[in-house]
Amino acid sequence: PSGNLALSASPSCSFTSAWESCAAINNGDEPASSNIPGPNQGTRWGTWPQTGSHWIQLTWPSPVTVSSSQLYFFQDTADGSNSGVKRPATWSIEYWNGSAWVAVPNPSGYPTALNQFNQTTFTPVTTNQLRAVMQTRTDAAGVGALEWRVS
């Protein structure tokens, strides 16, 4: 398979706010901005009011080979506001090696820009499960994402 492999995976999440959707992370949306307010709830994933470390996961029915991840983060309040959902302080990609979650090898970096996809590339891995692990910022009450692409 080629293209955006996330579209063929089943999503799961460590925690999802009641008005958000874990299924939003790989539904093929093309976000217009990081702040999707109001009636668009449910087309995004967020953890408000849960802080700490959270993950989103893609599971395929059979192994795939991946070498790139792109995350479009959700943020509904300004930096420094000490509330709301914000892009993560840090994030990383892990894959299931058959017995444990391990970091992908040689990641190119983990940017956290708003209003765009944040890409990291890595040495290819073959797996049936991939995770993006995110740590909430100290000025946030949760983390969130609008879309996740994997190739």
Side-chain angles (χ1 to χ4, degrees), residues 83-134:
S83 66
V85 173
K86 293 189 176 68
R87 66 184 180 264
T90 61
W91 66 285
S92 61
I93 300 293
E94 300 176 345
Y95 73 101
W96 183 252
N97 72 1
S99 59
W101 289 102
V102 295
V104 294
N106 304 309
S108 61
Y110 293 104
T112 58
L114 294 175
N115 304 315
Q116 68 184 48
F117 280 95
N118 291 273
Q119 178 169 313
T120 186
T121 58
F122 43 89
T123 303
V125 296
T126 300
T127 185
N128 69 330
Q129 296 180 85
L130 200 67
R131 271 190 181 175
V133 180
M134 294 169 250

Side-chain angles (χ1 to χ4, degrees), residues 15-111:
F15 176 84
T16 303
S17 302
W19 52 89
E20 308 293 9
S21 172
C22 183
I25 66 170
N26 67 333
N27 65 4
D29 278 355
E30 293 291 333
S33 76
S34 289
N35 185 2
I36 307 294
N40 293 311
Q41 290 178 343
T43 61
R44 60 192 187 198
W45 167 77
T47 67
W48 189 91
Q50 300 293 318
T51 60
S53 181
H54 290 280
W55 51 261
I56 55 178
Q57 179 177 314
L58 298 172
T59 301
W60 292 271
S62 56
V64 295
T65 300
V66 296
S67 62
S68 173
S69 171
Q70 297 179 338
L71 269 171
Y72 202 112
F73 297 114
F74 162 50
Q75 181 160 315
D76 65 0
T77 59
D79 289 348
S81 65
N82 292 318
S83 66
V85 173
K86 293 189 176 68
R87 66 184 180 264
T90 61
W91 66 285
S92 61
I93 300 293
E94 300 176 345
Y95 73 101
W96 183 252
N97 72 1
S99 59
W101 289 102
V102 295
V104 294
N106 304 309
S108 61
Y110 293 104

